[in-house]
Amino acid sequence: MGQVIYVFIMLTNALISIKVAAYFILPNKEEDNCKNMEILTKQVITTYYLSHKCIALITTKEMFQDFNTDLGTSFMQITPQEKCDQGLVDIIAEGFKQNCDGYIVQVEDPLCFLKIWHTSLQMTFHRLNPKFFFLPDCKNKRNHAMEILSAQESDITVNIVVAEIDFNDTNKSKFGLNHHEDWPITLWTNDFSKLASSPRRTKIFVDSWHPIKGFRFNNNIFYDKILNLEGRAMRVATFTYSPYTIVGFIEGIEMRVVLLFCRLYNCTIQIVYDDALWGTIQGNGSGDGILGMVYKDEADVGFGAIYLWIDPASYLDYSATWLYAAVTLLVPKPVPLSGWRVPFLPFDLFMWSAIFLSLAISSIFIYSASWISSRRNHNANGRELEGIKDITLMVLGMYVQQPPSKNLEDNHVSINQIVTSVAISCVLLTSCYSAGLSSHLTVPQFTKPIDTFDELSTSGLYWLAIHEAFVYSLLPVEDEKVQTVAKHFKKLPEKRLLAEAPKQKYGLALERLPAGHFAEQSHFTDEVISNSHVMKENLFGSLLIFALRKGSPFTYRLNKLVNILLSSGIMYYWEGAVSRKFLNTRKQMALMEARNAHSETGPIILKLSHVQGAFIIYGIGLLLAICTIAVEIFLFKKYNTPITIRIYPYTY
């Protein structure tokens, strides 16, 4: 009996000791719980933050004064000077440069801090998917879990946890929790399976914590919510741009990527669109179209043949690239050359210049030789050529295979040698000209096609498209030719393009897909394609990407999926499958044939229109001859004075 009493007394003393120790070690007062925040923070950092290069501590002056940061990683401690300190924008932006993507936050207004953080992110080129751990406001005895996790700003990341202290909170039973006082701190995270705008959005319990016992369930408080989105609506900004996206059928090359993503990670697709096509970003929080909706967080991902554009990259995340597409032009097809130009086609401008120069030199040399010979043999019977005009006409006649009209047998031998050499060169040139003229008469001749970027720049041709996105890649380039082409761009709505395209006055932007297909638009009618040809060179090209919000939590998993699809070759297969299903095969074949600028290249029957140049030259010669005769007659009558001859009789 005595032993039983002894054991009972000992157990009673032990319980009293535990109670006393618990009273001194962990009293249930709020201020003591707040002091234990440093213990919790260090445990969270040790468990979840050591892989980060830099951790930012954003706390009030009363907290973490003696916090030991000897944990093998760099720390940046920031103390707000007021409740919503806008001066933190530049400080946090500087932290981005140090790759600070882990945050321990204890401020009076956490929502203001999230907005400031997002503003800082937009100021830099850094892309961070942050990890946030929010602590309660012990100074004002306020918990922020529901306020933070139900707000739009909490969708910045899936890695967000909020700690709560029991400030006599009566809402615990609302979430099915019955905490004992031995677990004074509760950890919550955001319900990422629902959009922040959803009224059903709430906070999710992840674990409880005790300063001595540690975590109650040892759950991973920063678990990857993307692995199971639980039916979350994936907001997709896109429009029908076949074969990339066909909205009405929820189909397309890029649409299949997002469909597969949702199949893997249990989400649904919700298409959002504002009729602004690719859109623009103003950079002040406003924008429209695909880019603008993603920038304003009205869409989770945007796609529709988005290139690696420089300006939007400052405000968005670009996914991993998948294949290469390019933009070229559908330009007016070359037209047959006018017949009056045919006599001049065998030689180019340089050759014609050389011929006329040789005509002048030959005439001058023959005249000089004749003049020198006549002066040396002024008493001889040889005849001097009459003058430079006669010599020029003689040489010109030799160029058209007409022998000299003068009898040169009595001239000096040097003159005959010069004339003979000129005659030989004339025969060779005439033969070459005749052969070239024959080929130009028998094979169709067209105006020079626009096939290269340089030719487009020098042609002055204006080109049209439905949106400025077709010129985004050219605007940052400072090259003069590129800027010339960019200035000749005009944006027209689809209805105007339908009216202007058949006029054959403009080039039309046309996109080549990676596997050789062409993106179709309504203004590419059969008539337009048949009267146009596709440039051989591209205006520009780029790898294709998906656009996501800067720092998006979807970027990592989407990149992994895109890389798998790309390495397996499925993207090429999908292009062919979607093109066969939704593109017009006849138009695709016509566009491929349109890469040949000339539809008729074989021999043709000679027509009067082909030789009208010769008749034009003949007519011009007759007209000049008639005018010359008329002028000579006029001048003769005007300036000729009659001569009176008087005959006197002869007288002896």
Side-chain angles (χ1 to χ4, degrees):
M1 184 67 180
Q3 293 179 347
V4 174
I5 294 173
Y6 176 77
V7 171
F8 176 76
I9 293 172
M10 294 297 295
L11 290 174
T12 302
N13 291 334
L15 290 174
I16 293 172
S17 300
I18 292 174
K19 289 285 185 178
V20 172
Y23 178 81
F24 286 104
I25 296 174
L26 183 64
N28 287 325
K29 298 178 181 179
E30 291 98 356
E31 59 270 14
D32 294 332
N33 285 333
C34 289
K35 291 179 181 179
N36 291 322
M37 283 294 114
E38 293 189 13
I39 302 174
L40 171 60
T41 301
K42 188 165 184 177
Q43 189 170 350
V44 169
I45 290 175
T46 304
T47 308
Y48 299 102
Y49 278 75
L50 291 185
S51 60
H52 296 262
K53 295 181 180 179
C54 175
I55 302 172
L57 289 169
I58 298 94
T59 62
T60 58
K61 293 181 180 179
E62 291 78 10
M63 295 297 297
F64 304 116
Q65 294 299 314
D66 301 320
F67 185 68
N68 181 12
T69 58
D70 187 18
L71 297 172
T73 186
S74 61
F75 282 80
M76 173 185 259
Q77 188 150 10
I78 304 171
T79 302
Q81 301 301 316
E82 55 188 44
K83 183 177 180 180
C84 188
D85 188 358
Q86 296 297 324
L88 295 179
V89 173
D90 295 331
I91 300 175
I92 295 174
E94 188 65 27
F96 291 151
K97 299 178 182 179
Q98 309 300 325
N99 290 321
C100 284
D101 55 354
Y103 295 87
I104 308 296
V105 185
Q106 186 183 49
V107 292
E108 293 184 38
D109 191 347
L111 289 184
C112 176
F113 168 77
L114 286 175
K115 293 177 181 178
I116 290 173
W117 186 91
H118 191 269
T119 302
S120 301
L121 183 65
Q122 296 299 334
M123 291 173 55
T124 69
F125 287 96
H126 295 79
R127 281 143 179 81
L128 302 175
N129 188 11
K131 184 178 289 183
F132 290 109
F133 185 62
F134 284 91
L135 300 174
D137 181 6
C138 293
K139 179 181 178 181
N140 299 310
K141 297 183 180 181
R142 287 185 57 200
N143 287 314
H144 302 288
M146 197 61 194
E147 179 185 3
I148 296 172
L149 300 176
S150 62
Q152 177 77 29
E153 289 79 11
S154 65
D155 268 353
I156 290 175
T157 179
V158 295
N159 297 318
I160 183 169
V161 173
V162 183
E164 279 190 343
I165 297 178
D166 183 7
F167 295 122
N168 297 321
D169 192 353
T170 60
N171 293 327
K172 290 179 180 178
S173 59
K174 177 181 176 181
F175 298 95
L177 301 175
N178 185 18
H179 291 292
H180 190 268
E181 62 181 5
D182 287 344
W183 304 98
I185 298 177
T186 307
L187 303 181
W188 307 87
T189 190
N190 57 338
D191 184 5
F192 201 72
S193 65
K194 301 176 182 64
L195 297 175
S197 58
S198 173
R200 296 165 26 189
R201 174 91 169 230
T202 185
K203 58 184 181 180
I204 296 178
F205 171 78
V206 287
D207 213 332
S208 299
W209 182 84
H210 185 279
I212 296 177
K213 299 177 183 179
F215 290 103
R216 184 177 185 182
F217 301 105
N218 289 318
N219 293 330
N220 180 3
I221 64 174
F222 291 106
Y223 64 93
D224 191 350
K225 301 182 183 74
I226 303 296
L227 293 176
N228 184 7
L229 293 170
E230 301 179 14
R232 174 191 168 101
M234 172 74 80
R235 298 168 300 169
V236 171
T238 189
F239 63 95
T240 297
Y241 187 51
S242 183
Y244 292 104
T245 308
I246 302 95
V247 173
F249 295 90
I250 315 296
E251 256 284 18
I253 305 170
E254 294 175 315
M255 185 69 80
R256 289 190 177 191
V257 176
V258 179
L259 286 170
L260 181 57
F261 181 89
C262 282
R263 183 178 177 183
L264 291 172
Y265 301 115
N266 190 18
C267 62
T268 58
I269 289 181
Q270 176 185 342
I271 297 177
V272 293
Y273 181 54
D274 63 356
D275 296 325
L277 301 179
W278 290 274
T280 56
I281 297 175
Q282 277 72 43
N284 56 358
S286 61
D288 58 5
I290 293 177
L291 303 177
M293 296 187 75
V294 174
Y295 169 65
K296 295 184 296 183
D297 199 22
E298 295 176 2
D300 297 309
V301 61
F303 54 85
I306 297 178
Y307 286 16
L308 290 170
W309 295 318
I310 295 177
D311 291 341
S314 302
Y315 307 103
L316 303 174
D317 262 2
Y318 285 169
S319 71
T321 57
W322 64 275
L323 302 181
Y324 181 90
V327 171
T328 185
L329 287 186
L330 194 65
V331 296
K333 185 174 289 188
V335 297
L337 288 175
S338 300
W340 68 268
R341 299 177 60 181
V342 172
F344 307 100
L345 293 178
F347 296 148
D348 59 11
L349 180 61
F350 180 79
M351 188 64 183
W352 282 116
S353 301
I355 290 174
F356 283 107
L357 182 61
S358 65
L359 171 63
I361 293 174
S362 300
S363 301
I364 292 172
F365 270 84
I366 294 176
Y367 176 77
S368 299
S370 175
W371 184 83
I372 294 172
S373 176
S374 64
R375 292 300 179 268
R376 289 183 177 181
N377 304 291
H378 58 278
N379 295 324
N381 295 326
R383 295 184 301 169
E384 175 189 354
L385 293 177
E386 294 183 1
I388 189 66
K389 295 180 180 178
D390 295 326
I391 295 175
T392 302
L393 290 175
M394 180 191 72
V395 175
L396 183 59
M398 295 167 65
Y399 271 99
V400 293
Q401 295 185 340
Q402 179 180 349
S405 58
K406 300 289 185 180
N407 185 7
L408 302 177
E409 61 182 5
D410 295 330
N411 282 325
H412 194 275
V413 65
S414 60
I415 300 176
N416 293 337
Q417 290 175 349
I418 295 175
V419 172
T420 303
S421 63
V422 171
I424 294 174
S425 66
C426 291
V427 170
L428 293 176
L429 288 173
T430 304
S431 300
C432 294
Y433 178 82
S434 299
L437 184 62
S438 299
S439 64
H440 282 82
L441 288 173
T442 55
V443 178
Q445 301 300 314
F446 297 88
T447 56
K448 190 175 181 180
I450 300 175
D451 278 327
T452 66
F453 195 95
D454 289 345
E455 291 171 350
L456 176 65
S457 176
T458 56
S459 69
L461 180 71
Y462 283 85
W463 55 290
L464 312 176
I466 58 175
H467 194 266
E468 300 93 338
F470 285 91
V471 79
Y472 282 167
S473 298
L474 299 179
L475 293 177
V477 183
E478 297 180 355
D479 183 79
E480 184 178 353
K481 293 182 179 179
V482 176
Q483 287 301 310
T484 300
V485 173
K487 289 178 182 178
H488 288 162
F489 168 79
K490 289 185 177 181
K491 170 195 169 184
L492 292 180
E494 189 66 27
K495 291 183 180 179
R496 285 284 308 279
L497 278 173
L498 283 169
E500 296 293 335
K503 296 180 180 180
Q504 297 298 301
K505 295 181 179 179
Y506 307 99
L508 303 174
L510 176 67
E511 187 165 1
R512 303 180 199 257
L513 272 69
H517 297 88
F518 295 93
E520 292 183 3
Q521 300 178 57
S522 59
H523 56 273
F524 292 148
T525 62
D526 293 339
E527 177 188 359
V528 172
I529 297 174
S530 63
N531 294 323
S532 306
H533 92 277
V534 179
M535 281 179 53
K536 293 181 179 179
E537 287 187 5
N538 298 323
L539 290 185
F540 57 87
S542 170
L543 294 166
L544 298 166
I545 52 93
F546 294 86
L548 301 98
R549 191 192 67 228
K550 202 171 185 180
S552 171
F554 296 106
T555 304
Y556 174 73
R557 294 292 175 183
L558 182 61
N559 285 349
K560 289 189 67 175
L561 177 60
V562 169
N563 288 331
I564 291 172
L565 294 174
L566 181 62
S567 60
S568 64
I570 292 177
M571 303 297 278
Y572 274 112
Y573 170 76
W574 279 352
E575 179 185 331
V578 174
S579 298
R580 288 189 295 271
K581 187 176 181 180
F582 292 99
L583 295 185
N584 188 315
T585 304
R586 185 180 68 256
K587 285 187 178 180
Q588 291 296 311
M589 294 298 295
L591 287 169
M592 292 181 184
E593 289 294 328
R595 289 178 292 186
N596 179 17
H598 305 144
S599 57
E600 298 179 3
T601 57
I604 59 173
I605 299 175
L606 196 62
K607 300 178 181 179
L608 180 62
S609 60
H610 297 134
V611 294
Q612 64 179 341
F615 289 101
I616 290 174
I617 295 174
Y618 177 69
I620 292 174
L622 288 178
L623 182 61
L624 290 175
I626 293 172
C627 292
T628 302
I629 293 175
V631 169
E632 288 182 352
I633 293 174
F634 173 76
L635 293 176
F636 177 78
K637 291 183 177 180
K638 183 176 181 180
Y639 296 105
N640 184 35
T641 56
I643 300 175
T644 303
I645 302 175
R646 293 183 179 182
I647 302 175
Y648 295 96
Y650 178 77
T651 57
Y652 296 94

